[in-house]
Structure formats: structure tokens, C-alpha cells
Amino acid sequence: MHTQRLTLTLTALASAGLLLTACGSESGTGSDSDSGGRSVESEQALTGVRWNVDSLTVGGKKQDAPEGAYLKIGKDGKAAGSYGCNQAGTTVSIKGDTVDFGRTRTTRMACEGAGRMKFEENLTRALGAGKFTAKVDGDRMTLTTAKGDRVDFTSRPAEPDAPLTGTKWTVNGIGDAKTAATLPKAVSGKVHLTFGDDGKVRGNLGCNDVSAKAEAKDGRITFGKPATTRKMCPGDTMTTERKLLKLFDGDARYEVKQGALKLTADDGTVITADAAEGKDQPKGKDQPESKSKS
């Protein structure tokens, strides 16, 4: 009887071991006991997750990441995110627990704070310097080079996409497909658009209020001629407004991902915006009372 129970127990343990091996969640080196994490044997543990950058350690010197730095690795061999200031994109190869990034391409915004720009520069250089060993432990991931340099990440559940309609979108950048620039200080945080259920968009261009027809369908928005107030504002404010007016009286592609909106006009102008806290559903008549402005 004892012999039979022992045989059954060993058989069950062996089967469990085969299942664990088939899952590919741990490496067979036994080195994980020192790090407390798991060596990644499958890209499934890495892809489709928003990894917020916590810190970068190079040459034994640790730098804390600025708020908003993150990386998301796709199953299509591409990675994208923000390295501290600019939006960044690169290719990525995953073989077992080895991760190798290609050349990084970024937008060209200048952000306030020397530390933010310096971190972005250092992270871009570090990710392109060589291959990394990835280890995942719950909601934490580390990428470590053979020299001991490392990037620490923490994951968080993906936020639901903000709806296009009813969300107050605060514009934060204007550019084209290759480059983008933050808004001048004079209008930073003031430019916003809200798409209503009535097929119109309303907002402010930094100086003047604006409203126009805006019909969204199949990833595109058809904008009508804008009606604006007629205030005159100094310098950069009017320059920004003229750039934003190119969005109107034409079509634009739109893309909403979590709390971000990207509008690409037919002339190549790209406008990016973030969802403001809560919703700002416009009601009633148009705010601007002036004639249409082309």
C-alpha cells in the first residue's frame, strides 16, 4: 500500500513538472532563486503590457524616471512609448529571455527640465547599446545587460480608451508624421476641443473660441468651416491658432488610445491631445457668434 501511494505521488509530481516545463514560465538555469523573479521564456509575459519606467541604472549610477515614461512591447516586433519627454518607437526582437532593441526614433519636442531630457537621452542610449536579459516578477520587470546595467519597470492595468465624444481633449502638440512640438507656454493647457453628440466640435484655440461641424465615421472626422470669435492675441498664440485652423474644413484621421487622441489632417498636420479629468459634454448653441472663418 505504501509503495503504491509513493508511486502515485511521484507520477503526479512528474506530470506537474511536465506541465510547468510546457508553460515555459521559468528557465532551467536555477538562477532565478537569487533574483526573486522569473526568466522570461515567452514573449507573452512581455507583450501587450504598459511597462512604466521606474529607474535606469548605468555604471552603478541610478536615475529615477520622470513621470510618464513608459514602454509597450507589441507582438508585431515593435515597441513604443515615452522615454521621458518625446514619443519613441523602435523594433524589438525577443528570443527566450533575451530582448534586443533596434534603433530608436523619437519626436523632437523640447520639454521643460534638464533632468527629463537627460533621462530620455540616457535611456535611448542604454536600450540601443546591446541585448538585455528580461525577468518578470508579478507586476515588475527588469531588463539587465551583461555589464549589469538595468532598467526597472512596473506594470499597471491598461486604462480604457476615453470616448471621442464627450471628452474634453486638451491639445499638447502640433507637428507632422515625423516631428512634433509642444505648445508655447502662452497657450499650454488652454487649447482644447470637445466633440458633441450633436455632430459638432467646440473648444478654444488658445486665443479664440471655435465651433464647427464634425462628423466621425470609420476612423475619420469630416470637419466643417470653423466659426470663431475675433480676438487678436500676441505672437505665439496667433501662430498656434493658425496651425490649428488647418484641421478644419476638411477630413482628418483620428485615433484614440487610452487617454490620448491623435488627429492627422489631410495636409499631414498632426495634432495630439490628452483627455482632461472627467467629461465636458457641450450643450446648447455654439459659443462663437462670429461668421465662419476660412
Side-chain angles (χ1 to χ4, degrees):
M1 181 67 69
H2 290 296
T3 300
Q4 184 179 11
R5 288 179 180 175
L6 180 60
T7 301
L8 291 173
T9 300
L10 291 174
T11 301
L13 289 173
S15 299
L18 288 173
L19 288 173
L20 287 173
T21 302
C23 289
S25 60
E26 295 183 356
S27 69
T29 62
S31 60
D32 294 340
S33 59
D34 295 332
S35 65
R38 291 183 174 185
S39 294
V40 180
E41 292 288 350
S42 169
E43 68 175 41
Q44 297 299 323
L46 298 175
T47 58
V49 179
R50 177 185 169 117
W51 293 105
N52 298 311
V53 185
D54 293 332
S55 63
L56 169 67
T57 303
V58 177
K61 295 182 179 180
K62 182 179 178 180
Q63 293 177 278
D64 291 330
E67 184 177 356
Y70 76 95
L71 184 68
K72 189 170 183 180
I73 302 172
K75 296 180 181 180
D76 57 356
K78 297 180 181 179
S82 170
Y83 289 1
C85 170
N86 286 278
Q87 295 298 305
T90 183
T91 57
V92 59
S93 173
I94 303 173
K95 295 181 180 180
D97 62 357
T98 300
V99 181
D100 189 12
F101 295 96
R103 181 180 178 183
T104 298
R105 297 182 64 181
T106 69
T107 55
R108 298 180 182 179
M109 296 186 295
C111 297
E112 295 182 4
R116 181 178 288 271
M117 296 298 292
K118 189 64 176 177
F119 182 89
E120 177 172 276
E121 179 184 332
N122 290 340
L123 181 59
T124 300
R125 185 183 299 113
L127 291 180
K131 297 180 180 180
F132 291 83
T133 298
K135 291 184 182 295
V136 176
D137 184 13
D139 63 349
R140 296 184 179 277
M141 177 176 73
T142 60
L143 297 177
T144 309
T145 68
K147 295 180 179 179
D149 296 338
R150 60 187 284 167
V151 189
D152 290 277
F153 301 84
T154 303
S155 68
R156 70 179 183 187
E159 298 176 1
D161 290 343
L164 173 69
T165 303
T167 299
K168 181 178 179 179
W169 296 102
T170 301
V171 177
N172 55 32
I174 305 175
D176 55 35
K178 295 182 179 180
T179 63
T182 54
L183 301 187
K185 291 183 179 180
V187 294
S188 180
K190 298 179 181 179
V191 183
H192 61 86
L193 298 170
T194 303
F195 297 88
D197 289 329
D198 58 354
K200 293 186 176 182
V201 60
R202 299 171 176 86
N204 186 276
L205 302 178
C207 176
N208 287 285
D209 293 333
V210 65
S211 71
K213 290 184 178 180
E215 299 179 354
K217 184 179 180 181
D218 299 330
R220 296 185 68 85
I221 301 176
T222 300
F223 290 91
K225 290 185 177 181
T228 69
T229 53
R230 294 296 181 91
K231 293 186 293 183
M232 291 299 295
C233 297
D236 290 342
T237 302
M238 294 306 295
T239 300
T240 299
E241 184 163 300
R242 284 192 289 271
K243 291 180 180 179
L244 289 166
L245 284 171
K246 293 180 180 180
L247 181 67
F248 295 90
D249 198 17
D251 288 357
R253 299 191 306 275
Y254 78 90
E255 183 179 11
V256 175
K257 285 188 177 181
Q258 298 182 15
L261 169 66
K262 180 181 179 181
L263 297 166
T264 305
D266 284 341
D267 70 349
T269 299
V270 175
I271 296 171
T272 57
D274 289 327
E277 292 292 333
K279 294 185 178 181
D280 184 35
Q281 178 66 49
K283 295 181 180 180
K285 297 181 179 180
D286 295 349
Q287 295 172 358
E289 300 294 339
S290 69
K291 296 180 181 180
S292 295
K293 183 177 179 181
S294 59

